Amino acid sequence: MSALNDTPVETLSFEAARDELVKVVAELEQGSPTLEHSLALWERGEALAARCEEWLLGAKRRLDAARSAASDEAEA
């Protein structure tokens, strides 16, 4: 069974991307039957990692904005 999924990475939630990335890494660690499959897994893994980072950066921006708003309210 392959960890490769046809779902577009840009539509995945953080949790879905993270879970799939764990599966991709596990399959890469076990070794793939062909170089082509290994490359496909690697490319999918890179895209999944970027998606997770995108979600995390978005969450950080939201937290920073909330902190800034709370600080502004406290000063007023």
Side-chain angles (χ1 to χ4, degrees):
M1 185 173 147
S2 175
L4 286 174
N5 185 338
D6 291 336
T7 305
V9 172
E10 61 275 2
T11 66
L12 295 175
S13 67
F14 171 78
E15 294 79 10
R18 179 203 57 211
D19 292 349
E20 187 181 341
L21 181 57
V22 168
K23 291 175 186 174
V24 166
V25 169
E27 189 169 341
L28 281 168
E29 288 175 342
Q30 290 175 8
S32 295
T34 66
L35 177 59
E36 187 62 34
H37 186 70
S38 292
L39 289 172
L41 283 168
W42 181 268
E43 290 168 344
R44 181 72 177 186
E46 287 289 326
L48 291 164
R51 180 65 173 162
C52 288
E53 184 174 14
E54 182 182 307
W55 271 107
L56 292 172
L57 290 173
K60 183 182 183 317
R61 282 191 294 272
R62 288 174 63 187
L63 287 171
D64 290 345
R67 286 183 183 144
S68 177
S71 177
D72 291 347
E73 286 179 12
E75 291 177 5

